[in-house]
Amino acid sequence: MAITAKIGKRNTWTVNVGVYNGGTHDHSKLFNRDADDQHPMGAIKGLETFAKNTNAHMASKENPHGVTADQVGARPDTWMPTASQVGAAPDGYGLGEGNSRYADDINKAILPGWYHLGEQTVNVPAFAGSGYILWNYSCVFVQRRNSTIWQHFYTIGVDGVGHNFMSVRVSSDAGTTWSELEYLNPPMIPGVEYRTTERYNGKPVYAKVVSFGNLPNNSSASASWQPDTGYTDSIVDARVIANGNFVNVVSSVNSSAIWVETSGDYSALTATVILKYTKS
Amino acid sequence: MKIIKYKFLSCEVNHGTEAEPNTEQIFLEKTMGWNAVNEEIAKKEAYNGEYTIEDDGQPEPEVQPTPEQRIAELEEALAMLLSGVTE
């Protein structure tokens, strides 16, 4: 049986809404209808598909409407954050990079990070025995707390192996003035005086190797020596290495001479004396 | 006491760079008690072979006995002591 519904104020439109086979079209019987009068969902064409598609759409995370980042206030996929926006180290300071930042003026390397030196770097501190250093392979690590700045130098020697050593200096006025350079592991080139990070009685300990020449035959011998600058205060240590061996022959050391005493023929041995001392 | 005095080249230090070296020669004064072996060292080490032998005004050091000489002295003293006891 065809159902014809008339809609509109003046019943001017007529629409056929389908064919209803059986049951009733009396809506006073919407409740407690018998089986013949029921309207199962499956009987409505396309409704299940519609519901399924609606659920799938609601669950989709694939941005089915093509909403842009700008529409939702998000950053575009071309956005490149700055170091400060993600709390990272500043660009160009050598952290996480293959090469550190070149320091053309070492006195301006005052922000934390890694720098490297070159032959043209100016204001490089006075490195003792600087002729033994390859500047192009040396670098500096800078640490800072307010106006106190530490510069740690990692220096490569000319032989690339044996003269790799570390030294440090500090500024307490934001880099205006600097302390003397102090060596953690001085290369101990004979004849060169090094100020070290060691302390004796609160004073910096200096180190120097004196080439003594051949040891004497069953007698005493002395060789003159002096610090590169200033005057000695205390002789902290004196050891003799002769032909690669430690020999206990030092009898005394003062500010100007090293005395050794041998009780046999040591004349075949060539000695170097390792001195450590403070200055007045 | 006779001593030997001379100046010798202790070492050379480069204060420049590898490309432009600025080498300093460091000379030290050395003094040793004289004996023939030490004089040979002086001939070899002294700058330009120049060394002097001087008397420093101090007495010659006593020659220390060798361990064998010292043992012989002790044995002799012990023998004398024992002979006195037995007489």
Side-chain angles (χ1 to χ4, degrees):
Chain A
M1 175 179 107
I3 298 173
T4 300
K6 291 184 177 178
I7 57 175
K9 201 170 182 179
R10 298 180 181 175
N11 297 330
T12 53
W13 302 94
T14 300
V15 178
N16 292 328
V17 297
V19 176
Y20 178 65
N21 295 318
T24 180
H25 57 279
D26 181 356
H27 282 253
S28 65
K29 297 178 72 175
L30 280 174
F31 298 99
N32 301 320
R33 288 178 288 185
D34 56 26
D36 289 341
D37 293 331
Q38 288 180 0
H39 296 263
M41 293 293 284
I44 304 174
K45 188 177 181 181
L47 186 56
E48 284 189 359
T49 303
F50 175 76
K52 198 177 295 180
N53 289 344
T54 301
N55 287 338
H57 182 80
M58 291 170 63
S60 174
K61 301 289 192 295
E62 299 302 319
N63 190 17
H65 294 286
V67 177
T68 65
D70 188 49
Q71 286 175 311
V72 296
R75 292 186 171 107
D77 57 4
T78 55
W79 176 66
M80 180 62 71
T82 64
S84 62
Q85 284 176 315
V86 295
D91 291 340
Y93 286 84
L95 296 175
E97 309 240 349
N99 280 313
S100 51
R101 183 187 189 188
Y102 174 64
D104 53 358
D105 181 347
I106 197 62
N107 283 348
K108 293 180 181 173
I110 56 175
L111 296 177
W114 285 100
Y115 301 79
H116 64 265
L117 305 175
E119 298 288 353
Q120 307 304 320
T121 302
V122 298
N123 289 320
V124 174
F127 277 83
S130 58
Y132 303 92
I133 295 172
L134 288 176
W135 297 109
N136 288 337
Y137 296 92
S138 301
C139 37
V140 181
F141 176 54
V142 177
Q143 292 172 299
R144 179 169 185 158
R145 176 68 188 269
N146 298 329
S147 58
T148 300
I149 303 169
W150 289 81
Q151 287 186 334
H152 303 254
F153 292 84
Y154 296 80
T155 318
I156 304 296
V158 291
D159 64 2
V161 179
H163 297 152
N164 307 333
F165 52 91
M166 293 175 281
S167 52
V168 63
R169 69 174 186 169
V170 63
S171 170
S172 57
D173 54 13
T176 305
T177 59
W178 293 90
S179 68
E180 277 188 59
L181 200 66
E182 296 185 340
Y183 291 80
L184 279 73
N185 59 335
M188 302 302 282
I189 304 295
V192 178
E193 179 184 82
Y194 302 93
R195 175 167 159 151
T196 75
T197 55
E198 288 183 49
R199 294 292 185 270
Y200 172 72
N201 202 19
K203 291 184 175 181
V205 173
Y206 293 79
K208 189 173 191 177
V209 169
V210 177
S211 296
F212 192 89
N214 285 77
L215 290 170
N217 167 39
N218 196 31
S219 72
S220 64
S222 70
S224 60
W225 84 282
Q226 60 185 13
D228 286 6
T229 59
Y231 302 94
T232 58
D233 179 47
S234 297
I235 306 297
V236 178
D237 198 3
R239 296 165 190 243
V240 173
I241 307 296
N243 290 31
N245 298 306
F246 171 74
V247 288
N248 191 19
V249 293
V250 173
S251 57
S252 68
V253 179
N254 62 22
S255 59
S256 60
I258 303 162
W259 290 88
V260 300
E261 186 86 37
T262 61
S263 56
D265 187 1
Y266 284 58
S267 62
L269 301 180
T270 303
T272 56
V273 184
I274 302 170
L275 295 176
K276 289 187 176 182
Y277 49 93
T278 60
K279 293 185 183 182
S280 56
Chain B
M1 183 180 95
K2 284 170 67 177
I3 58 171
I4 309 169
K5 296 180 83 170
Y6 56 93
K7 186 167 74 172
F8 75 105
L9 176 61
S10 174
C11 59
E12 294 182 339
V13 177
N14 180 14
H15 297 290
T17 65
E18 193 180 23
E20 297 178 12
N22 173 22
T23 304
E24 177 193 11
Q25 292 186 319
I26 296 178
F27 291 94
L28 302 181
E29 302 285 343
K30 194 168 183 179
T31 303
M32 288 193 293
W34 180 89
N35 60 44
V37 175
N38 288 351
E39 188 168 348
E40 289 301 313
I41 293 174
K43 286 178 182 175
K44 188 179 70 173
E45 283 188 341
Y47 181 63
N48 287 337
E50 297 172 0
Y51 65 93
T52 60
I53 299 174
E54 304 173 11
D55 189 338
D56 65 356
Q58 301 296 316
E60 292 290 336
E62 290 184 13
V63 178
Q64 297 296 320
T66 65
E68 292 77 14
Q69 290 172 328
R70 185 67 180 145
I71 291 171
E73 288 174 1
L74 290 171
E75 286 177 342
E76 185 180 349
L78 180 61
M80 289 179 63
L81 183 64
L82 291 175
S83 64
V85 170
T86 53
E87 282 178 355

